[in-house]
Structures are given as structure tokens and as C-alpha cells.
Amino acid sequence: MLECTLSHTLHGSEGPINLSIDFAVNDGELIALYGKSGSGKTTILRMLAGLTKPDKGRIYVNGVCWLNTEQGINIAPQQRKTGLVFQDYGLFPFMTVRKNLEYGLGRGDDKSIVDSLLQTMGLRELARRHPNRLSGGQQQRVALARALAARPRMLLLDEALSALDPVMRSGLQNALEHTIKSVPVCTIMVSHDLAEIFRLSNKVLHIDNGKIIACGTPREVFKR
Amino acid sequence: MVCIPLAYVTARARLPVRIAVKTLANLPLILPPSVLGFYLLVTLAPSSFIGHLLEGLLHVRFVFTFAGLVIGSVLFSLPLMFNPCMAGFENLSPTLEEVSYTLGKSRTRTLFSVLLPSIRPSLLTGVAMAFAHTMGEFGVVLMIGGKIPGKTLVASVAIYDYVETLNFPAAHAHAALLLLVSCVILVTVYLVNIIPVFSSGPPHRVR
């Protein structure tokens, strides 16, 4: 279970925004962050991953403290292992698809997980290619597979399915649904796609100007 | 060896530090080699404080020796290695580094497994250019080396001496060799940067 309270000043294009949020996610749950761009969604993911330090806040995962600014605790991203899938993928350009996935493995991890991920994500035929010879959707799948290969304690998806065509998207949503159910981690997904939110998420946080303005099941939040 | 850590640290430093280091590192490109050589000679001479200290501590003399030539050459060719390294680090997407951290990899592992391979074309260019440039230097090695035959006389200075003494065949031989080696190095650099395995441009995006 993830519990967090975060407050941070963002310097957006329209002046500073005070980000102030408080939410909890249970293991196996998928929560969607919805809201217009520049409202602080990506920053929330970065703070959870440990890449951006909030001005003030606390993050507890299954009772373990990751961040507590009052006590001066801030665990490094390496120890958090959050499986963040970035908007621009961040694939290593000089490694093949397979090598990218293998990089996610820890020391002594079984390499067979890479084969099964390649299979699930429909990447088997592309395993020997380099990222610059893949389409946007294919790159996104590699990024997601790599994050999963590292056995993350939490999955953070920054519009991770946005570049996929509808067929592939649906297939990947199935795979994602399956993965989330099979590994007991919580997932936080930034998404603009209502169909995707309805399909995958248990809960939606509608964020505007750094604040949660609506929270609940997709049906409750989007009934208006 | 000097430039990679220097560029790595500088690329992450604050703006004033970045400007200061870039200025210092590029001075050898602008300064007349004789000026650089002169200051080195004055600084490293056994009579100077630093020269005295170095000779006392390391038992190495830098003036008119091969060790001095190496120091001079490193400084003289520093910009040619430093600039590509720096550009490589600065142009690298910060996402690559951050992804590696979220996958649980340490800073050192990230530097060696992700960052350095990502800027491999820049590194290769830097190494080759610095090597070629070192071979062709004249002023610095003359000042600090003192052209002692068999010890600190280098090809570029030897050619000058041959011409002075009207020994044209020897000058021709040395000059042709330098020309050939320089051409080979440049062609290699440009070829290597074309081959896709070695060049790693930003991923091609389709949206």
C-alpha cells in the first residue's frame, strides 16, 4: 500500500503552481492521474520515483518510509525501484531490445523473465533491433517491458500507452491488466484517454492546478 | 583519462563553474603554443616552487624530458578531447540516466554502462583528434622538450631542423609520414561515425 502527502512549488509556463496532494493506493490497484498538461502529474510520478525532491511531504510504502522531509529521510531512486516508464521512453540507443530488457534485471535474476516479457509484449521478432529502428509504439512497449523486468515495487506510467495504435493498445492493456493482477504492486498511470481510464483504473484523481479536484471511481469522477 | 571525469563533473555543475572550466580547458586552443610552453617551462623548472616540489616528491623532472612532453601534450590537446566529451554529456537526454537509477543501478554502473556508451562517437572522435593533434604540435614540445635527439626530439620539430640544415630528403620522409598518418586518422574518424553500430543518434520517433 502506498500512502503519500506531497507539497511542492512548480515553476510552470504560467507562473508558479503550488502542488499539494494527498492520496493512498492499495496493492493491486491502478490509479489514474487525469488533468490538463502542466498540472503537475509528471512531477507527482517523479517525486514517487525519487527523482524530484518535494519541498515537503511523506511517502510510505507498505509501512516503509521512502520520504519524510521532517525527519530528513529521502531514499534514493535505486532503492525505491519504481519502474517508471517515461514519456520519452529513455531507451538505451546502443543496446538491442533484448539488452535493454536485460539491463533491467538485478544481479542473479533469472534471464527467462526477459523471454516471457518479449513474448507477452509482442517483441520477440524485434529482440535484436536497436531502438532507433522501432516505431513509437514499439519503443513504448520496450520501455514498459524493461520496467517490468526490474520487478518494480510500484509501476509508474507516464502516458505509457499513448503512442500505440488502437489494436496494440487494447492488447497491451490486457497484458497490463494481467501483470497488475499477477504481481501485487500498485500502479499509477498518467492518462488522457477516458476509455483507457475506464477500462484499467480502479480510481481516478482529477488534478487541476496542483490540487486534486475530484477523486473516486471513473464513473463517479466523469459522470458530469 | 583526464577529460572524461572532468567533462562528466562539469556537465553537471552550475553555470558559472561550467563557463570557468570551459574557458580554462579551451585556452590552449587560442594561446600561441609558445606561450603555453613558456608558462609550463617556468612553472615546472626545478628552480620554481612547483617544479621543486614535484622533483622532491615524485623524483620526476619535467623540463627537457619525456615526462614534460607528455604533460605539455596533454594540456595542448585537452580541448580536442574535452569539447566532444562535454558536448556528448550535455546533449544526452537526462532520461537515460534517470531510467537507469529507477531500474536500481548505481551512479558508477550508470556512467559505465549507459552514459559512456551513449557518447561513444564523441569519445572516439576526441581520442583520435587529440592523438592526431599531439602528433602535429610544435611550439609546446620545442619549449618544454628542448629537442634533445633520442629523448625529446619529435617528428614535427625534426622536420624543421632538417629544412634548416637543407636535408630535404629526410624532411620529405618525415613530412610524408605525418601527412599519411593524419589522413588515415581523419578518414577513420569520419568512417566510424557513419557506421550505425558506432553512432548512436537519438531514437527515431514516430508519433
Side-chain angles (χ1 to χ4, degrees), chain B:
Chain B
M1 294 292 268
V2 180
C3 290
I4 294 171
L6 186 67
Y8 177 69
V9 173
T10 310
R12 272 153 191 72
R14 287 156 190 251
L15 192 63
V17 179
R18 280 217 298 270
I19 292 175
V21 176
K22 278 184 178 177
T23 306
L24 284 175
N26 276 295
L27 268 183
L29 213 58
I30 314 291
L31 281 178
S34 50
V35 173
L36 187 68
F38 173 69
Y39 280 124
L40 274 175
L41 191 63
V42 172
T43 321
L44 298 176
S47 54
S48 79
F49 176 70
I50 297 177
H52 188 71
L53 201 71
L54 286 172
E55 204 166 324
L57 287 176
L58 303 170
H59 308 289
V60 183
R61 179 173 285 210
F62 288 100
V63 175
F64 306 133
T65 60
F66 184 72
L69 279 191
V70 173
I71 297 275
S73 304
V74 165
L75 279 178
F76 187 59
S77 296
L78 191 85
L80 280 110
M81 181 68 192
F82 176 80
N83 289 342
C85 284
M86 191 71 195
F89 280 127
E90 281 181 330
N91 292 332
L92 212 54
S93 155
T95 310
L96 293 183
E97 198 174 342
E98 292 178 342
V99 162
S100 180
Y101 295 160
T102 61
L103 292 171
K105 306 297 186 251
S106 68
R107 272 176 181 275
T108 322
R109 171 87 200 269
T110 303
L111 174 64
F112 285 102
S113 303
V114 174
L115 302 182
L116 291 182
S118 296
I119 62 164
R120 188 162 49 189
S122 311
L123 293 180
L124 288 175
T125 306
V127 168
M129 293 304 273
F131 179 73
H133 191 231
T134 304
M135 219 172 49
E137 71 182 308
F138 185 84
V140 177
V141 290
L142 186 63
M143 292 293 275
I144 190 128
K147 57 165 182 172
I148 302 163
K151 218 171 147 197
T152 60
L153 181 67
V154 298
S156 55
V157 181
I159 292 171
Y160 179 77
D161 281 354
Y162 288 137
V163 175
E164 288 272 273
T165 53
L166 298 176
N167 186 354
F168 274 64
H172 264 305
H174 280 69
L177 186 67
L178 281 185
L179 181 67
L180 184 72
V181 175
S182 304
C183 284
V184 168
I185 290 174
L186 286 178
V187 168
T188 315
V189 167
Y190 294 127
L191 269 182
V192 158
N193 279 337
I194 294 172
I195 302 167
V197 180
F198 290 104
S199 69
S200 50
H204 161 73
R205 276 181 202 156
V206 185
R207 283 228 167 162

Side-chain angles (χ1 to χ4, degrees), chain A:
Chain A
M1 181 174 179
L2 159 75
E3 295 161 284
C4 71
T5 311
L6 300 165
S7 99
H8 191 67
T9 306
L10 295 173
H11 300 281
S13 54
E14 293 161 22
I17 300 173
N18 283 315
L19 181 74
S20 175
I21 49 144
D22 184 347
F23 66 91
V25 195
N26 289 316
D27 282 350
E29 249 182 7
L30 192 147
I31 188 166
L33 304 181
Y34 177 82
K36 60 175 195 250
S37 44
S39 58
K41 304 181 301 292
T42 298
T43 311
I44 295 172
L45 297 190
R46 290 181 59 86
M47 290 194 287
L48 289 170
L51 297 170
T52 299
K53 192 183 172 210
D55 298 334
K56 243 176 82 182
R58 292 183 305 160
I59 300 173
Y60 282 83
V61 179
N62 298 324
V64 179
C65 177
W66 280 12
L67 173 90
N68 189 329
T69 45
E70 277 168 21
Q71 293 174 15
I73 300 171
N74 182 17
I75 291 187
Q78 285 91 337
Q79 268 104 54
R80 299 190 189 195
K81 285 187 84 173
T82 45
L84 174 56
V85 179
F86 288 78
Q87 233 165 344
D88 58 351
Y89 327 128
L91 297 179
F92 306 132
F94 54 90
M95 291 185 199
T96 61
V97 168
R98 177 181 285 280
K99 289 275 176 233
N100 263 283
L101 263 62
E102 284 176 357
Y103 189 79
L105 298 177
R107 224 173 268 158
D109 274 357
D110 185 6
K111 281 197 177 179
S112 65
I113 186 178
V114 169
D115 288 304
S116 77
L117 278 168
L118 287 172
Q119 178 75 33
T120 328
M121 298 286 175
L123 294 168
R124 235 175 40 163
E125 307 295 316
L126 308 171
R128 295 171 72 178
R129 283 213 201 162
H130 282 82
N132 59 1
R133 295 201 40 231
L134 300 177
S135 73
Q138 290 166 338
Q139 290 186 33
Q140 243 174 6
R141 279 184 277 156
V142 178
L144 186 59
R146 183 179 58 184
L148 289 171
R151 293 173 207 245
R153 300 211 179 92
M154 184 190 295
L155 199 54
L156 305 174
L157 311 175
D158 197 354
E159 295 184 47
L161 308 183
S162 62
L164 302 177
D165 61 80
V167 177
M168 201 59 233
R169 198 170 214 187
S170 169
L172 205 62
Q173 284 169 351
N174 283 336
L176 198 60
E177 216 171 354
H178 177 76
T179 315
I180 294 163
K181 281 185 181 143
S182 62
V183 285
V185 295
C186 61
T187 307
I188 299 169
M189 167 177 91
V190 169
S191 180
H192 290 117
D193 179 4
L194 289 185
E196 184 174 283
I197 292 177
F198 270 90
R199 166 114 193 254
L200 291 173
S201 66
N202 312 85
K203 205 159 121 186
V204 185
L205 301 181
H206 187 172
I207 296 172
D208 189 38
N209 225 356
K211 310 277 183 300
I212 299 173
I213 55 167
C215 166
T217 63
R219 200 174 289 276
E220 287 164 2
V221 172
F222 297 111
K223 68 184 171 205
R224 278 162 289 162

